[in-house]
């Protein structure tokens, strides 16, 4: 193998840059040229890619986002679009591709490998909903941003006997909400995997109030049926139900832009290296992920179309800690 390409696709995640850097430097160290593809699959279709040197990937690891850019590319979901991508890589004598991204992106990499082009994926999404990796690049940084916000809101909540509803990212998956809720000592965690009614949330808050709590924290995943907006709407109908005065904070995209934590830089570096090693070993159609603190590959066909379930024992732990 003489030449590979690397791209980042879908939602950006802190730690992607560490993975780009690791892919590039591991490959160059092994005598393999690396093309960096801009704007995800769109760059493959447009032929928008350029050689990367060791120096090109210097000084990028500490930044969030991705220096290669990322995009959503509907054209890649068609066979015709993927054929153009393969032709553009063949013209440049690119023999294999590393795709750093989440569920959608790895569905794309699987489709490409099904057409005979060698691909290895790198598990990267702040939702941590990808099978094949215990944790994914970006989730630790997202949790830490949420946690910092929770810690700060607690200080002000305490001074005013307030309850804060903090809505964190997670369209389909409550992992960030649950972990930030446990680490932040939340009174209530609301996630899509374990829906609770607004009445139930109100009861838990009321119980905390009656126990004499000076403040309360509800951490809500954006994808929960009863997201922060719906909960507040409900509480407005009965302001006395919770005891506390309520305030809402929706964190939104600030969680994406975080500087990657040490854990995400290390994970990005390890998985980036792992992807190149897998290609060197002749593997294709696999995802490089972390399982039991080892970098291992899993066939993409076992991953696509699935969502890694959340460990509901952790949800119970959150509840026990809140009592
Ligand atoms: P993420 O990787 O963060 O889950 P998306 O779901 O937006 O992001 O997917 C990113 C890109 O992956 C899409 O814009 C598309 O180019 C590609 N993709 C997603 N699903 C498929 C599919 N079924 N076949 C081919 N490509 C796909």
């Amino acid at each position: 193998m003489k030449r590979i390409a690397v791209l980042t696709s879908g939602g950006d995640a802190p730690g992607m840059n560490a993975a780009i850097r690791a892919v590039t430097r591991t490959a160059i160290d092994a005598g393999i040229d690396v093309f960096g593809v801009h704007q995800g699959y769109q760059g493959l279709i447009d032929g928008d890619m350029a050689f990367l040197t060791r120096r090109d990937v210097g000084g990028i690891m500490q930044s969030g986002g991705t220096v290669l850019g990322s995009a959503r590319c509907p054209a890649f979901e068609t066979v015709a679009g993927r054929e153009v991508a393969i032709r553009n890589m063949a013209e440049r004598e690119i023999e294999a591709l590393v795709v750093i991204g989440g569920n959608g992106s790895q569905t794309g990499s699987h489709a490409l490998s099904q057409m005979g082009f060698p691909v290895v994926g790198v598990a990267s999404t702040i939702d941590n909903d990808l099978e094949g990796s215990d944790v994914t690049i970006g989730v630790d940084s997202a949790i830490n941003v949420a946690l910092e916000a929770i810690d700060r809101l607690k200080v002000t909540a305490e001074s005013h006997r307030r309850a804060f509803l903090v809505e964190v990212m997670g369209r389909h998956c409550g992992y960030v909400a649950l972990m930030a809720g446990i680490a932040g000592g939340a009174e209530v965690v609301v996630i899509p995997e374990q829906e609770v009614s607004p009445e139930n949330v109100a009861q838990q808050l009321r119980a905390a109030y009656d126990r004499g709590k000076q403040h309360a924290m509800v951490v809500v995943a954006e994808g929960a049926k009863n997201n922060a907006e719906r909960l507040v709407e409900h509480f407005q109908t009965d302001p006395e139900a919770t005891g506390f005065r309520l305030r809402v904070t929706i964190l939104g995209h600030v969680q994406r832009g975080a500087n990657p934590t040490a854990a995400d830089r290390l994970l990005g570096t390890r998985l980036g290296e792992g992807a190149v090693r897998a290609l060197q070993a002749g593997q294709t159609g696999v995802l490089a992920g972390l399982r039991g603190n080892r970098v291992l590959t899993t066939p993409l066909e076992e991953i696509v179309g699935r969502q890694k379930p959340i460990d509901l024992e952790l949800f119970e732990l959150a509840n026990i800690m809140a009592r």
Side-chain angles (χ1 to χ4, degrees):
M1 200 170 52
K2 288 266 170 271
R3 188 170 290 178
I4 65 170
V6 58
L7 62 80
T8 49
S9 168
D12 62 299
M16 278 182 159
N17 283 331
I20 295 166
R21 173 178 177 269
V23 167
T24 304
R25 291 194 173 169
T26 306
I28 292 173
D29 195 58
I32 301 166
D33 292 339
V34 183
F35 267 95
V37 182
H38 304 137
Q39 307 301 328
Y41 292 124
Q42 193 62 49
L44 278 188
I45 290 176
D46 297 343
D48 183 7
M49 51 191 105
F51 274 119
L52 290 173
T53 66
R54 285 177 163 279
R55 293 276 57 81
D56 288 334
V57 292
I60 67 171
M61 188 160 56
Q62 57 273 42
S63 309
T66 157
V67 292
L68 291 176
S70 185
R72 300 213 149 90
C73 174
F76 199 76
E77 292 172 32
T78 66
V79 173
R82 294 196 294 277
E83 279 172 351
V84 173
I86 290 173
R87 209 177 314 133
N88 278 332
M89 288 192 281
E91 270 173 17
R92 292 163 179 80
E93 298 180 351
I94 293 166
E95 297 164 64
L97 176 68
V98 175
V99 174
I100 303 166
N103 258 321
S105 305
Q106 302 309 342
T107 307
S109 65
H110 181 242
L112 192 65
S113 80
Q114 292 285 85
M115 291 171 72
F117 196 87
V119 189
V120 169
V122 169
S124 175
T125 159
I126 64 166
D127 286 339
N128 195 32
D129 58 353
L130 201 54
E131 289 279 11
S133 201
D134 299 341
V135 281
T136 53
I137 296 168
V139 68
D140 187 66
S141 304
I143 291 169
N144 274 286
V145 172
L147 185 60
E148 199 179 317
I150 290 167
D151 285 347
R152 289 184 187 185
L153 290 169
K154 257 192 170 171
V155 174
T156 172
E158 203 155 14
S159 315
H160 300 281
R161 206 156 194 206
R162 274 184 184 154
F164 269 93
L165 279 85
V166 185
E167 187 173 290
V168 306
M169 277 191 154
R171 272 173 304 165
H172 313 289
C173 173
Y175 185 85
V176 171
L178 182 55
M179 292 314 206
I182 293 172
E187 273 60 39
V188 189
V189 175
V190 183
I191 55 174
E193 293 87 342
Q194 195 77 4
E195 292 286 357
V196 286
S197 65
E199 291 81 9
N200 189 297
V201 175
Q203 273 166 14
Q204 291 183 68
L205 285 177
R206 183 79 220 185
Y209 184 86
D210 291 342
R211 285 198 304 271
K213 279 237 166 181
Q214 290 303 306
H215 59 82
M217 195 60 64
V218 183
V219 182
V220 189
E222 63 175 335
K225 189 158 62 80
N226 291 302
N227 60 14
E229 202 183 335
R230 292 239 176 92
L231 286 171
V232 165
E233 249 171 50
H234 177 87
F235 295 148
Q236 271 165 359
T237 61
D238 183 5
E240 300 301 311
T242 67
F244 294 100
R245 289 203 291 154
L246 293 164
R247 288 287 180 275
V248 177
T249 299
I250 295 175
L251 293 183
H253 281 79
V254 295
Q255 291 158 98
R256 275 203 195 284
N259 290 340
T261 57
D264 276 330
R265 297 181 203 194
L266 292 167
L267 185 61
T269 303
R270 291 179 74 188
L271 297 190
E273 190 223 7
V276 175
R277 297 290 176 231
L279 284 173
Q280 284 183 295
Q283 290 193 54
T284 174
V286 296
L287 179 86
L290 195 74
R291 302 205 320 258
N293 204 24
R294 291 182 63 205
V295 178
L296 296 171
T297 55
T298 307
L300 285 167
E301 64 187 14
E302 291 176 18
I303 287 163
V304 297
R306 301 229 178 109
Q307 182 181 323
K308 184 169 63 183
I310 213 161
D311 182 353
L312 286 177
E313 283 181 15
L314 289 171
F315 186 75
E316 187 47 30
L317 176 64
N319 285 333
I320 293 169
M321 290 302 117
R323 276 174 210 144

